[in-house]
Amino acid sequence: MAGGGAAKRDAGDSGFLGFRSVSVDPGAARRRKRGPRNKKRGWRRLAEEPLGKEVDTFLEDVRLQERTAGGLIAETPDENLFFVDTGVGKNLLFGLAGGKGAPQIAFLSPLFGKPFGTLGQIWGKGDFWGGLLDKVVFLVNLKPLKRSSLQLREGESLAGSPRGSMGLDSSPRQLPVRLLVIEGIRLHTLISFFFPFLQRPQRLQTKPSQAPAVEVIPSGGSYNPSFQDHQALLREAHEVELQRQKVEEKLSRQLAFPTVDKAPTQESEFKELCEGLLEESDGETPAEPEGEGEADSQTQRPPGPEKKTEQQRRREKEARKLKAQQAAERAAKKRHQEVFQLRGIRLQVARRLAELARRRERRRLKRLAEDEKPRRLGRLKYQAPDIDVQLSTELADLEEPEGSILRDRFKSFQRRNMIEPRERARFKRKYKVKLVEKRSFREFP
Amino acid sequence: MGGLEKKKYERGSATNYITRNKARKKLQLSLADFRRLCILKGIYPHEPKHKKKVNKGSTAARTFYLLKDIKFLLHEPIVNKFRDYKVFVRKLRKAYGKSEWNTVERLKDNKPIYKLDHIIKERYPSFIDALRDLDDALSMCFLFSTFPRTGKCHVQTIQLCRRLTVEFLNYIIASRALRKVFLSIKGIYYQAEVLGQPIVWITPYAFSHNHPTDVDYRVMATFTEFYTTLLGFVNFRLYQTLNLQYPPKLERPKDQESKDQDEEAYAMDSESSLEKLSALSASLARVVVPVTEEEEQMDEFPVDGENAEQEEGLRKEREAQEKHKKLFEGLKFFLNREVPREALAFIIRSFGGEVSWDKSLCIGATFEEKEPSITHQIVDRPLPPVPIIGRCYVQPQWVFDSVNARLRLPVEDYFPGVLLPPHLSPFVIEKEGDYVPPEKLKLLALQRGETPGKEAESESEEEEEEEEEEEGEEEEDGEGGDDQEEEEEEEGSEKEEEAKLKVMEAQRTQTKKPQVTMGTLDKRRQLPQEEENEAKRLAIMTMRKREKYLYDKIMFGKRRKVREANKLAQKRKAHDEALKAEKKQQKKARRA
């Protein structure tokens, strides 16, 4: 058992290449055994089980290694696993292992024999563009190399890669990286080396709003507008202002203190307190005779229908049966007739479909209209900026432009749902400021 | 029987969203850094459809992000840089506190920096994508480049923005891509067409700085940081498409020595190239000098009946555009010092004109005011006592209006001291039935090649005119020739106004009472039309009640629109008349 455990560890430790069973089937390891855990017996049973399983997983691992690497990795010589370029002095050889958790990287250069660090650490060093590769061994050369020196297998090309056509200065192409492809690597992995970062999902390419980035001010906002345009813009601004004033007035009206004649007096307050009490006592007295009447009517209930005779029952039953039969006949006849109504039915169906299409269209338009509006993205609602106007008296005065472009840009970002509307964080003191007069400065009366 | 208990908020939309705070914690970033990261990566908050569900029963308004987006952010390498920076700041503070200056130096040398190149490439997989987002980038960069260097943001950012925008303007000039200009009360709107993409941006007027307090400068600075990176790449690519050198270089003028002396007065050696570039007066050096600029001939396809009209329209449009690009070709402008130099220089140069200014005004002046070959001098002040003969003195608006009208407008309306016609927005496109202001009508007529100002006036107006002329003649005897000039100018403007009115009236009468002319009916022509009308009437008759109602409403709306347009036209007429009367009175008062 001990030997098996050691062998297992060996197999597992060489797993920076990602041959660990965990990295292959992460779902299997994650599954937790179910069973009661609050009793001693349950724990015991749980403890017993892994033994068999451990052996199982070990054997599975061995099989996996045989399948993928052609033998136990621990036993294969390094030359078969990696390409060690000993020609240039400063070459470093990395092994990368994908899978769950932080990918492991090992230095396998003869200069440094020990593991180097995690991917994140190497990233932190800056000049390394290693990506989320799995099972790639590659060589980092410290001399800048051209793309042509990238070794590709015959018939494969990187032409179809979505590397875009931007003129990036420091594209990975110019980084001092040379790839050496081990057998059986997929082209996809290779490409993913050049695009080491996660591909941006397609859904992020759509903008959160269809509104234009730069909304041009209406014609009335010209520095020398025509009369009509200017008036139109002024009117618009005026209406906004009017609406605002209305809201303000309403608020002030609602919050206003009542005038003297409307203010509650002692008498009215008392009346309000007694509201409903007096009326109830009034209402009770006439209610009594009514209650008596009800009681009477309950006792003198008219007798129910008399018992039916046998004949009556039979006749009713027959009548019912006949009715049902007739209804069935009618339905059958109608169904039969429907054959001749095909045209009408088709018309009906067409009409129905048209109606549905119309509704769909309406819903779509409604959704579009909804999309136009700015979304509610936080505590605050988006508030449209004021319409910038210059009054007739201030026109043609370019020294003092209206509004601020900075604010416009800021509001535009909010309008297009790119940032949430926010208030400036206000400075709030946690404690009260205590004012102490220094003794030496104290003024004596 | 049995089954696992379904717990609330463990599936569905509740698991698809994440609140901002949770996302922040997941990424281990401060709020400011998180916001920065989201802006840089183009991850925007979402409004869930069922807020209460997503919010796990609470109705508090929160900011939500899609969980998928946040998971995507987890892979971003600059997140690590943000964390590094945080540590760096902490160490630096500590070193300062301990007064360990060596440590401070060392730390400052190793300050973590991050680059946005990979994000640009990721966010804009193709160049057209980047161009589509250029509106924002340009507006922000132009805005930041005009900021005073007072510490609202980094001076380097301002300089970078300035350099990038100047490079972009030079590209626009070189490619003649400018299409529209609009001077508004906020700033100047430009529209250019770059590789078939319309790009709109706004530039603020110079020296207009009131820093609003309700704007988050940190957010804006982050946007600018991103957009400057984008604009840098885009500029590079654009320069490549035109075979221009990047970083841009100016073509060396022939008389080199004389120029160099002047330059030293303006800027140091390190800055002079950018300053010269930003003067926008010289053209850029090309990598490969084109031998002969051959006009590209569009392929001619055999046209079939249906597309013929379309093709024809397209061809005309293309020709008009080519003509538009050469609007100021062969003209030589001189800018007086009181006019906005940069905007005018940019516009004139991007339509092929040559431009210069006073040597003491700015670097890069190419010729002097006395140069006899100058065709236009742009002034915004009363004329000098002895104007130079052989050139037009015009107000700056002439340039802008000409660009928008796609033709060189008659200069008479723009002489110095003349009341300018309104500057209309080129971004407004009138639909059918909308009210079209008379100024626009006049412009449209000009574009068609008519000259509405010289048409015969209607009788009553003519009489009026004669009267005035008589009056004028009477006056002339008494006063000198100076007055006469003024008189003529005023009359000129009045004439135009009348012309405008006439056009407007003509339109009104057209809509109001169609003229009836007796003539022989052309049966062949009448028949299909009548049939059409008949069909329409029938269709209306067979309409369902609800549809009929809707139809009536639409028709009513249309009629109302026309009515309103008419009303506006009438109002305009009344306004113009009132103005005229007032003017007349003033004139009379002056004479008396």
Side-chain angles (χ1 to χ4, degrees):
Chain A
M1 215 178 79
K8 189 213 175 270
R9 210 171 42 241
D10 276 352
D13 278 351
S14 66
F16 64 79
L17 273 186
F19 288 153
R20 248 182 293 180
S21 58
V22 176
S23 64
V24 174
D25 189 9
R30 206 190 300 140
R31 217 170 291 134
R32 229 174 59 193
K33 267 165 258 140
R34 290 202 166 274
R37 283 164 183 274
N38 58 351
K39 294 273 158 56
K40 207 171 192 176
R41 224 180 117 202
W43 277 103
R44 232 180 247 155
R45 216 183 58 217
L46 273 173
E48 276 165 17
E49 214 173 297
L51 274 182
K53 201 153 192 183
E54 213 170 348
V55 177
D56 257 12
T57 47
F58 167 66
L59 285 177
E60 209 165 275
D61 199 30
V62 169
R63 247 172 279 137
L64 179 75
Q65 288 184 21
E66 277 171 351
R67 210 166 53 226
T68 49
L72 277 183
I73 288 179
E75 289 163 8
T76 26
D78 281 354
E79 304 90 83
N80 291 5
L81 272 180
F82 308 111
F83 183 96
V84 183
D85 188 356
T86 50
V88 192
K90 277 183 169 178
N91 285 342
L92 310 172
L93 191 64
F94 290 106
L96 260 191
K100 270 190 82 69
Q104 290 289 315
I105 292 180
F107 252 129
L108 287 184
S109 167
L111 292 174
F112 316 89
K114 55 186 180 183
F116 184 73
T118 58
L119 186 59
Q121 280 164 338
I122 293 213
W123 244 330
K125 301 285 179 228
D127 56 352
F128 180 71
W129 275 57
L132 302 160
L133 307 179
D134 39 21
K135 297 168 205 164
V136 177
V137 176
F138 60 94
L139 192 72
V140 175
N141 199 328
L142 295 184
K143 271 188 294 180
L145 289 171
K146 277 182 192 154
R147 191 181 181 179
S148 55
S149 67
L150 169 75
Q151 291 176 356
L152 279 174
R153 273 187 292 150
E154 274 180 13
E156 287 176 349
S157 76
L158 282 173
S161 63
R163 64 183 294 104
S165 40
M166 308 272 310
L168 294 190
D169 279 330
S170 64
S171 67
R173 193 195 313 175
Q174 286 155 356
L175 277 174
V177 171
R178 189 163 135 214
L179 260 192
L180 281 163
V181 186
I182 54 168
E183 275 301 307
I185 194 164
R186 289 163 304 156
L187 185 64
H188 168 259
T189 322
L190 208 84
I191 290 172
S192 76
F193 173 72
F194 280 87
F195 301 93
F197 307 106
L198 214 57
Q199 281 282 314
R200 192 179 174 82
Q202 198 56 43
R203 85 196 126 80
L204 287 178
Q205 299 298 359
T206 51
K207 287 180 183 163
S209 167
Q210 297 302 314
V214 178
E215 271 176 272
V216 181
I217 194 170
S219 191
S222 161
Y223 92 102
N224 177 18
S226 71
F227 177 69
Q228 297 297 352
D229 291 337
H230 188 232
Q231 288 297 314
L233 191 71
L234 275 182
R235 194 202 291 140
E236 213 172 301
H238 172 74
E239 258 154 32
V240 171
E241 195 58 38
L242 217 62
Q243 197 62 32
R244 197 173 295 157
Q245 215 172 2
K246 229 172 166 181
V247 171
E248 221 165 77
E249 258 171 28
K250 192 182 174 191
L251 194 71
S252 67
R253 205 171 52 234
Q254 282 171 337
L255 292 178
F257 208 72
T259 51
V260 178
D261 50 324
K262 278 180 191 167
T265 57
Q266 255 185 353
E267 201 178 324
S268 71
E269 228 166 83
F270 179 72
K271 210 174 170 186
E272 200 180 314
L273 284 175
C274 300
E275 201 72 57
L277 292 175
L278 298 171
E279 272 80 3
E280 236 174 71
S281 59
D282 284 347
E284 259 174 61
T285 33
E288 276 168 29
E290 274 176 32
E292 279 174 356
E294 266 175 46
D296 283 345
S297 64
Q298 259 176 17
T299 50
Q300 294 172 355
R301 206 202 212 147
E306 283 188 13
K307 258 197 163 181
K308 291 175 193 164
T309 60
E310 202 54 23
Q311 197 182 21
Q312 269 174 330
R313 278 178 204 282
R314 187 171 40 79
R315 276 189 190 148
E316 268 177 22
K317 202 176 172 184
E318 271 170 10
R320 237 180 295 151
K321 204 174 168 188
L322 192 68
K323 216 175 179 181
Q325 201 181 345
Q326 275 173 351
E329 266 172 27
R330 216 178 296 134
K333 204 172 173 185
K334 202 180 172 192
R335 214 175 305 130
H336 191 67
Q337 284 292 321
E338 270 177 2
V339 175
F340 305 106
Q341 289 177 353
L342 261 183
R343 271 178 66 189
I345 289 170
R346 200 175 295 144
L347 199 72
Q348 257 179 5
V349 168
R351 208 172 286 155
R352 173 78 184 152
L353 283 181
E355 171 73 11
L356 285 181
R358 198 180 59 80
R359 276 191 207 166
R360 206 177 306 131
E361 179 66 15
R362 206 172 58 181
R363 268 203 308 276
R364 195 180 63 82
L365 289 179
K366 204 175 167 190
R367 217 174 304 132
L368 277 183
E370 202 82 337
D371 281 348
E372 284 279 290
K373 286 184 204 159
R375 313 234 141 257
R376 175 82 183 261
L377 293 175
R379 204 166 50 79
L380 297 173
K381 255 185 195 163
Y382 167 77
Q383 272 172 339
D386 292 343
I387 298 171
D388 287 320
V389 286
Q390 277 191 328
L391 302 180
S392 317
T393 48
E394 345 170 285
L395 269 179
D397 185 12
L398 286 185
E399 252 83 281
E400 273 183 69
E402 211 49 41
S404 148
I405 297 182
L406 186 68
R407 191 190 288 122
D408 278 357
R409 298 315 306 152
F410 189 61
K411 281 283 178 188
S412 165
F413 286 134
Q414 289 185 350
R415 163 82 188 74
R416 287 180 284 148
N417 306 326
M418 290 165 85
I419 48 177
E420 70 273 16
R422 231 167 40 110
E423 257 177 2
R424 201 175 182 185
R426 241 176 254 132
F427 175 67
K428 211 172 170 188
R429 205 173 254 125
K430 279 179 191 156
Y431 49 86
K432 239 182 185 175
V433 180
K434 205 169 168 185
L435 273 177
V436 180
E437 208 170 337
K438 270 196 175 176
R439 283 254 309 262
S440 50
F441 285 100
R442 190 180 293 164
E443 200 180 319
F444 289 101
Chain B
M1 283 291 291
L4 276 177
E5 187 192 357
K6 257 192 204 170
K7 282 192 183 146
K8 254 184 165 182
Y9 312 125
E10 282 196 345
R11 61 183 74 188
S13 52
T15 51
N16 292 340
Y17 290 91
I18 185 169
T19 60
R20 190 182 63 192
N21 223 20
K22 272 193 186 145
R24 224 202 71 217
K25 277 183 181 150
K26 193 166 191 161
L27 287 161
Q28 301 177 19
L29 290 173
S30 68
L31 184 58
D33 277 342
F34 175 72
R35 208 170 263 139
R36 206 169 287 149
L37 181 69
C38 284
I39 289 172
L40 294 178
K41 287 283 277 183
I43 303 288
Y44 307 118
H46 262 257
E47 187 190 25
K49 211 168 189 185
H50 305 290
K51 263 191 199 160
K52 204 174 162 192
K53 260 185 209 164
V54 170
N55 216 350
K56 309 212 167 27
S58 156
T59 47
R62 286 210 176 89
T63 309
F64 292 101
Y65 287 84
L66 279 177
L67 189 62
K68 283 191 273 186
D69 292 354
I70 298 301
K71 279 186 174 162
F72 172 63
L73 282 184
L74 280 171
H75 292 276
E76 180 53 48
I78 61 171
V79 174
N80 275 335
K81 290 285 181 191
F82 283 150
R83 292 179 196 143
D84 285 352
Y85 196 80
K86 195 174 68 185
V87 174
F88 161 75
V89 168
R90 201 166 54 207
K91 281 180 182 166
L92 198 69
R93 200 185 298 136
K94 196 169 181 181
Y96 263 118
K98 288 183 171 177
S99 312
E100 292 170 347
W101 306 121
N102 282 340
T103 321
V104 169
E105 279 303 302
R106 180 175 52 78
L107 284 172
K108 273 189 175 169
D109 285 346
N110 291 326
K111 187 180 172 186
I113 44 166
Y114 58 86
K115 280 190 152 189
L116 300 176
D117 305 3
H118 64 281
I119 296 184
I120 299 283
K121 200 165 79 167
E122 172 196 293
R123 281 182 66 173
Y124 306 108
S126 73
F127 189 55
I128 295 296
D129 289 327
L131 282 183
R132 281 192 193 126
D133 226 12
L134 211 58
D135 290 11
D136 264 329
L138 284 172
S139 297
M140 289 297 274
C141 285
F142 272 106
L143 176 64
F144 268 68
S145 67
T146 58
F147 274 179
R149 298 166 188 200
T150 51
K152 276 281 178 193
C153 60
H154 295 297
V155 176
Q156 288 96 324
T157 313
I158 298 172
Q159 277 167 347
L160 179 65
C161 286
R162 175 79 186 143
R163 181 174 68 80
L164 290 171
T165 50
V166 164
E167 280 170 12
F168 183 77
L169 288 186
N170 272 305
Y171 165 78
I172 295 286
I173 288 174
S175 66
R176 304 256 174 110
L178 194 66
R179 294 285 175 273
K180 290 172 182 174
V181 194
F182 179 44
L183 270 81
S184 77
I185 50 177
K186 280 184 190 172
I188 308 176
Y189 290 92
Y190 294 100
Q191 187 184 338
E193 201 178 308
V194 179
L195 302 182
Q197 292 287 327
I199 289 171
V200 183
W201 74 93
I202 180 171
T203 64
Y205 292 116
F207 315 122
S208 60
H209 302 293
N210 49 339
H211 281 291
T213 51
D214 51 351
V215 173
D216 193 339
Y217 275 82
R218 220 160 20 169
V219 165
M220 297 310 262
T222 313
F223 271 113
T224 311
E225 188 187 355
F226 176 73
Y227 285 136
T228 47
T229 319
L230 170 66
L231 193 57
F233 287 133
V234 168
N235 275 349
F236 173 72
R237 181 68 197 264
L238 287 176
Y239 273 65
Q240 272 198 331
T241 56
L242 285 192
N243 261 343
L244 295 168
Q245 276 185 7
Y246 192 90
K249 259 190 194 165
L250 296 177
E251 270 178 357
R252 297 303 291 177
K254 272 121 203 168
D255 47 343
Q256 222 168 312
E257 292 96 47
S258 62
K259 289 277 149 95
D260 281 347
Q261 280 182 348
D262 303 332
E263 281 156 17
E264 275 164 25
Y266 292 104
M268 292 185 297
D269 284 347
S270 56
E271 289 173 348
S272 98
S273 66
L274 178 63
E275 288 297 318
K276 260 189 283 176
L277 201 66
S278 60
L280 302 173
S281 64
S283 40
L284 299 172
R286 290 179 188 262
V287 178
V288 186
V289 181
V291 188
T292 46
E293 284 201 18
E294 279 178 36
E295 286 285 303
E296 281 175 39
Q297 285 289 326
M298 287 295 285
D299 295 340
E300 297 254 339
F301 296 107
V303 287
D304 50 344
E306 260 180 51
N307 288 344
E309 254 176 52
Q310 222 176 347
E311 290 274 323
E312 185 68 18
L314 276 177
R315 201 177 53 78
K316 263 189 187 160
E317 178 62 33
R318 238 181 353 250
E319 271 170 13
Q321 224 170 53
E322 282 305 310
K323 222 172 136 196
H324 188 208
K325 279 180 188 173
K326 292 172 186 164
L327 183 66
F328 294 144
E329 215 150 76
L331 300 188
K332 243 178 164 181
F333 290 83
F334 189 85
L335 308 182
N336 266 20
R337 57 173 63 246
E338 69 270 10
V339 299
R341 187 199 66 84
E342 198 173 307
L344 279 169
F346 168 57
I347 292 165
I348 290 168
R349 291 263 294 121
S350 47
F351 288 97
E354 277 180 85
V355 66
S356 181
W357 43 84
D358 198 292
K359 243 197 293 180
S360 62
L361 180 66
C362 184
I363 200 169
T366 44
F367 46 85
E368 287 179 18
E369 191 179 356
K370 301 209 170 55
E371 179 94 15
S373 58
I374 291 174
T375 54
H376 292 75
Q377 184 161 353
I378 296 181
V379 293
D380 208 2
R381 280 188 193 152
L383 268 179
V386 193
I388 300 169
I389 295 171
R391 64 179 72 167
C392 294
Y393 286 87
V394 287
Q395 296 194 42
Q397 200 189 315
W398 180 78
V399 176
F400 306 120
D401 282 352
S402 297
V403 167
N404 291 339
R406 292 171 150 213
L407 73 147
R408 290 181 207 161
L409 290 173
V411 283
E412 297 88 53
D413 307 352
Y414 297 90
F415 281 152
V418 168
L419 189 70
L420 288 170
H423 177 60
L424 299 173
S425 169
F427 293 94
V428 177
I429 294 154
E430 271 97 2
K431 273 176 269 161
E432 205 185 315
D434 279 358
Y435 166 73
V436 184
E439 291 84 9
K440 185 109 184 190
L441 282 179
K442 193 184 152 202
L443 199 83
L444 288 175
L446 265 175
Q447 274 171 350
R448 280 195 301 268
E450 298 161 18
T451 46
K454 279 152 199 154
E455 275 174 31
E457 325 259 297
S458 65
E459 282 174 23
S460 62
E461 278 166 5
E462 226 167 43
E463 277 168 27
E464 223 172 279
E465 196 85 335
E466 277 165 18
E467 247 177 47
E468 268 175 32
E469 267 169 357
E470 277 164 29
E471 276 177 57
E473 276 164 7
E474 280 166 30
E475 294 297 314
E476 267 168 39
D477 298 342
E479 285 169 20
D482 285 10
D483 208 291
Q484 193 185 350
E485 258 180 40
E486 248 182 44
E487 194 76 44
E488 271 175 8
E489 268 172 26
E490 251 173 58
E491 270 177 10
S493 63
E494 255 173 47
K495 255 183 210 165
E496 276 161 28
E497 271 177 15
E498 269 151 26
K500 279 178 229 155
L501 277 182
K502 225 200 122 249
V503 173
M504 195 182 63
E505 256 188 5
Q507 207 219 6
R508 208 146 41 89
T509 45
Q510 248 180 21
T511 49
K512 255 187 178 175
K513 356 170 195 168
Q515 284 190 342
V516 183
T517 47
M518 289 295 282
T520 51
L521 278 174
D522 191 352
K523 283 269 168 71
R524 278 166 309 171
R525 208 177 260 185
Q526 209 75 8
L527 214 58
Q529 207 179 14
E530 222 164 64
E531 256 175 25
E532 217 172 77
N533 281 342
E534 189 68 23
K536 201 174 167 191
R537 226 173 294 139
L538 251 173
I540 292 168
M541 266 161 69
T542 52
M543 254 178 207
R544 279 164 72 184
K545 202 171 177 184
R546 206 196 297 164
E547 283 162 357
K548 180 89 183 291
Y549 176 69
L550 194 65
Y551 175 78
D552 281 347
K553 261 185 133 176
I554 290 169
M555 292 318 279
F556 179 75
K558 268 191 187 165
R559 255 176 277 143
R560 188 174 53 193
K561 223 173 182 183
V562 171
R563 215 161 45 223
E564 265 165 17
N566 282 338
K567 215 198 246 167
L568 277 176
Q570 229 146 21
K571 229 174 161 181
R572 168 69 189 230
K573 197 187 169 192
H575 171 76
D576 282 346
E577 263 164 12
L579 258 185
K580 212 164 93 183
E582 202 179 313
K583 220 189 254 171
K584 221 173 190 180
Q585 247 175 12
Q586 271 181 4
K587 214 196 276 176
K588 269 187 187 153
R590 239 182 331 158
R591 275 172 192 165

